[in-house]
Amino acid sequence: MRFIATACSFTGHRPHKFPWKDHETDPRCTALKSTLAEQIAALTAAGVTDYYSGGADGTDCYAAEVVLSLRKKNPALKLHCVLPCKEQAEKWDATAQKRYYSILQRADSVTYVSQKYYDGCMIDRNHRLVESAGLLLAVYNGVRRSGTGATVNYARKMGREIIIIDPLTRAVTHEGGGV
């Protein structure tokens, strides 16, 4: 497998899009998190050192936590949070907010597309994530009319290498980048 960059961005669904919702102890969720961790570990072994997360609840936070865990043994790893606006997590439940702010506190960098929410700031965040890395790791169920689907399609348009994990089957597919 050949990677075109040493940076990887994440995209994926929020908990309400998964059959298990926010029940992270569900075996399907723990299996998905294991697959995600395996893929990030493989990318790290292949030389990826910079990871970009949009900080959204669900996949973005799962992936960020994997990077932070791997960074304990490999301090060369960097987690960069690219967020749509400062109030992204304001309406989340207390558990999700605690996770989010813990990730931000431990991230190597935190940048905001905007200080305040505006219509389109999430899309602008997703574009910035794709533009920040040569590789996109997506937990994606194939639904085109979703933020994740739009991000995957933007990565295709930009010629990025894409690794897709199906959230239900955990099948891993590769697109672009000479893979």
Side-chain angles (χ1 to χ4, degrees):
M1 186 181 311
R2 181 178 72 78
F3 297 103
I4 62 173
T6 60
C8 173
S9 291
F10 303 119
T11 191
H13 301 296
R14 290 169 179 78
H16 72 275
K17 296 273 183 137
F18 297 127
W20 54 85
K21 307 294 184 208
D22 60 355
H23 302 287
E24 292 185 40
T25 57
D26 183 294
R28 296 168 295 181
C29 184
T30 57
L32 173 61
K33 285 180 170 184
S34 291
T35 302
L36 190 58
E38 290 165 7
Q39 290 301 306
I40 294 169
L43 291 171
T44 298
V48 175
T49 56
D50 289 275
Y51 292 92
Y52 291 82
S53 172
D57 194 17
T59 300
D60 288 7
C61 287
Y62 302 163
E65 288 179 325
V66 170
V67 172
L68 291 169
S69 177
L70 290 172
R71 189 176 68 183
K72 291 175 185 173
K73 292 180 181 172
N74 184 349
L77 298 184
K78 304 290 182 216
L79 176 65
H80 308 282
C81 293
V82 178
L83 310 174
C85 58
K86 287 210 171 200
E87 60 265 88
Q88 173 169 255
E90 278 184 1
K91 296 180 181 175
W92 298 0
D93 67 40
T95 302
Q97 283 187 10
K98 182 178 178 182
R99 169 188 266 161
Y100 175 77
Y101 290 115
S102 172
I103 290 168
L104 297 188
Q105 194 171 50
R106 295 177 288 152
D108 294 285
S109 69
V110 177
T111 58
Y112 297 93
V113 169
S114 175
Q115 296 298 307
K116 295 274 185 194
Y117 175 85
Y118 64 87
D119 192 29
C121 69
M122 303 292 183
I123 294 168
D124 290 346
R125 180 264 324 265
N126 294 344
H127 286 185
R128 192 171 298 176
L129 286 167
V130 169
E131 292 160 2
S132 295
L135 172 66
L136 180 70
L137 177 57
V139 174
Y140 179 45
N141 64 10
V143 174
R144 299 180 89 187
R145 298 189 121 220
S146 67
T148 301
T151 305
V152 168
N153 286 331
Y154 185 67
R156 287 174 177 143
K157 178 181 170 185
M158 298 299 292
R160 299 304 192 252
E161 180 174 353
I162 305 167
I163 299 172
I164 297 174
I165 302 171
D166 181 289
L168 298 181
T169 66
R170 295 175 317 283
V172 178
T173 58
H174 298 258
E175 297 179 16
V179 175

